[in-house]
Amino acid sequence: MHSLPPLAYPYDSLEPYIDEMTMRLHHTKHHQAYIDNLNKALEAYPELQERPLESLLADLSQVPEAIRTAVRFHGGGHLNHSLFWESMTPGGSELQGQLAAAVHQAFGDLAGLQENMNSAGLKHLGSGWVWLTLDNAGQLQVESTANHDSPLAEGRTPLLVNDLWEHAYYLKYQNRRGEYLATWWSVVNWPVVVRRYERALGSG
Ligand code: MN
């Protein structure tokens, strides 16, 4: 059975960029609900409970049709939130290493990547996620996905992700998604993103 991963930092530690109440509700209520619904969907399929979620989401055709929509939504909700919590750290961090060079090459500089992701996040209609991913050719891509869809389904590896659902920012930012997106960079956990990048390159 899937269970809620603990946060590596306290709920109030991303203040003032993300408020404590949002973090607490987001983690203990929203994320937990996706896990509960995923477990319910997998109840009758013990062999799928043992499979890594990444592999199910990368090829949903292996998932029985009766639960495919539920696994796509709630499984994606579980995995995306897990990646999202790890993508943040109190006080933020600096982009370094091999990924810094790749970001400079693909987007000019870090500000170029930030503008790209902010713009993709702002233009995205409705709920979803905005991502920095790595494609099969080893190129960095900025993209957004609807609902809880994963870039894994398109063969791309998630590196960095921000949550575009209103529950992620509404208490503090209300309708100002652009302000939330711009502010969020203050809490990005680059060392984790760099590790994901190096792991993806190593396995590619
Ligand atoms: Mn969320």
Side-chain angles (χ1 to χ4, degrees):
M1 300 291 268
H2 294 275
S3 60
L4 187 66
L7 291 191
Y9 42 81
Y11 289 118
D12 65 355
S13 63
L14 302 183
E15 296 263 12
Y17 310 108
I18 304 181
D19 60 286
E20 178 182 1
M21 181 65 81
T22 295
M23 287 298 295
R24 193 178 290 279
L25 292 172
H26 200 174
H27 184 245
T28 64
K29 303 295 182 193
H30 293 276
H31 189 173
Q32 183 69 59
Y34 297 124
I35 293 166
D36 294 344
N37 285 312
L38 173 64
N39 284 333
K40 209 163 120 189
L42 295 178
E43 227 162 36
Y45 304 88
E47 72 285 2
L48 293 185
Q49 294 170 13
E50 306 306 318
R51 292 272 302 279
L53 205 42
E54 286 88 344
S55 93
L56 296 182
L57 295 171
D59 184 6
L60 283 159
S61 70
Q62 317 161 77
V63 176
E65 209 174 343
I67 59 166
R68 195 174 296 154
T69 300
V71 168
R72 178 177 177 174
F73 188 81
H74 299 293
H78 175 28
L79 182 65
N80 296 353
H81 280 97
S82 301
L83 293 168
F84 175 60
W85 306 132
E86 292 170 3
S87 294
M88 300 187 291
T89 191
S93 59
E94 205 181 319
L95 170 59
Q96 288 177 323
Q98 213 178 347
L99 180 59
V103 162
H104 283 243
Q105 194 175 14
F107 304 101
D109 54 15
L110 176 57
L113 167 63
Q114 291 170 333
E115 282 163 28
N116 219 300
M117 273 184 76
N118 293 352
S119 159
L122 198 55
K123 275 191 294 202
H124 183 88
L125 300 177
S127 296
W129 298 82
V130 62
W131 306 83
L132 175 67
T133 59
L134 192 68
D135 70 16
N136 282 334
Q139 296 300 306
L140 296 175
Q141 305 288 346
V142 166
E143 61 188 292
S144 67
T145 57
N147 303 311
H148 290 312
D149 286 354
S150 172
L152 289 169
E154 306 299 326
R156 290 186 287 275
T157 304
L159 300 179
L160 174 65
V161 62
N162 195 1
D163 191 337
L164 301 176
W165 286 61
E166 282 187 346
H167 66 226
Y169 60 86
Y170 202 84
L171 291 181
K172 184 177 172 76
Y173 296 93
Q174 292 87 46
N175 61 315
R176 304 186 308 278
R177 184 190 277 185
E179 192 184 324
Y180 159 70
L181 291 169
T183 298
W184 177 75
W185 295 100
S186 302
V187 294
V188 166
N189 190 350
W190 284 113
V192 160
V193 182
V194 167
R195 275 201 295 282
R196 287 177 187 150
Y197 177 66
E198 290 173 351
R199 201 181 312 131
L201 281 185
S203 67

